[in-house]
Amino acid sequence: MGAILALLTVWLPVNQIVVGIGLNIVALGLTSFLFRILPGGGIGLRTPALPSTAIPVLSDLPLVGAFFALPLFAWVGLALIVVTWLFLYKTNLGLALRCTGESARSAYALGINPRKMRLGVLIASGILCALGGSALTLGWVRGFADNITLGRGFIALAAVYFGRWHPAGLLGAAVLFGAAEALAFRLPPVGGGPFYMLMVPYVLTVLVVIAFRKAGGPADAGKFFERG
């Protein structure tokens, strides 16, 4: 999916937002279709539990116990935060990538190929998004159903805005949105049903996008590059 997005947005002057929404709709329909043709589809596909990474003694401690009982994917995510920061801010390739994001033409003048950089980033992003979906279906829910993500990809996008495009800021934003969702499931129902509480993380997402719509992101993000 990352390669398809790259083909349409890097080599063709197509709007990234329109293509992204289209691919999102295609993915929703395709996964629902495959879900129904799989053996046992349509009744809830269960997946085997992954080996537990819980530390027996530490996971029984109050307050900190939940941290040491995190699934494997959570530890992978935390490690990727560090790896991404090191890559972006401590390597020449990361510097070239950030330069391309700020000004593709300046990067091209320095001998960097913006199209190749964007192609690599979009494919890597597709892999990481797939890892996020795997974390949801294999690490927490351990099953699959139609539209299982419930728009969490858009929440992740809002977390990027809120985190100011920095790995550490993104981690803080992800914790904030995750806490809002966890709180929504634990608050008492309001107005005769739980649906108002379940709206909390999505309302917070809208407010964050409005508040940080002009946050200092890469200047050339989403802009088509054409060699003059």
Side-chain angles (χ1 to χ4, degrees):
M1 295 294 281
I4 294 173
L5 180 62
L7 176 64
L8 295 174
T9 60
V10 176
W11 273 275
L12 299 175
V14 179
N15 186 280
Q16 290 188 11
I17 303 299
V18 175
V19 173
I21 294 175
L23 288 179
N24 189 61
I25 296 173
V26 168
L28 176 60
L30 181 61
T31 52
S32 298
F33 171 73
L34 293 176
F35 173 53
R36 279 162 175 75
I37 65 174
L38 287 172
I43 58 175
L45 179 63
R46 304 300 299 176
T47 59
L50 295 179
S52 175
T53 59
I55 303 175
V57 177
L58 297 177
S59 60
D60 293 332
L61 295 175
L63 298 181
V64 297
F67 181 78
F68 289 102
L70 290 174
L72 176 62
F73 282 103
W75 294 104
V76 172
L78 292 173
L80 283 174
I81 292 289
V82 178
V83 171
T84 303
W85 178 81
L86 291 173
F87 169 74
L88 289 176
Y89 295 96
K90 299 297 180 180
T91 66
N92 292 333
L93 186 58
L95 177 62
L97 175 60
R98 289 189 289 123
C99 178
T100 303
E102 290 296 337
S103 175
R105 293 198 174 278
S106 297
Y108 181 69
L110 293 173
I112 301 171
N113 190 325
R115 290 186 174 180
K116 288 185 177 180
M117 295 295 292
R118 290 178 172 181
L119 173 63
V121 167
L122 286 171
I123 292 177
S125 298
I127 294 172
L128 292 175
C129 288
L131 184 62
S134 300
L136 180 64
T137 54
L138 298 176
W140 277 272
V141 180
R142 292 199 292 275
F144 181 82
D146 290 335
N147 195 24
I148 191 172
T149 59
L150 294 175
R152 288 181 177 86
F154 294 104
I155 294 180
L157 183 61
V160 174
Y161 280 84
F162 188 70
R164 303 295 184 104
W165 281 266
H166 192 281
L170 178 59
L171 174 61
V175 171
L176 175 63
F177 285 117
E181 183 171 345
L183 183 63
F185 280 103
R186 286 163 176 78
L187 289 175
V190 175
F195 305 105
Y196 296 106
M197 292 297 99
L198 296 178
M199 290 170 54
V200 170
Y202 302 96
V203 172
L204 180 61
T205 300
V206 174
L207 294 177
V208 165
V209 172
I210 293 174
F212 292 89
R213 66 187 184 279
K214 295 183 178 180
D220 265 7
K223 296 181 180 178
F224 179 73
F225 171 74
E226 185 175 4
R227 288 177 289 187

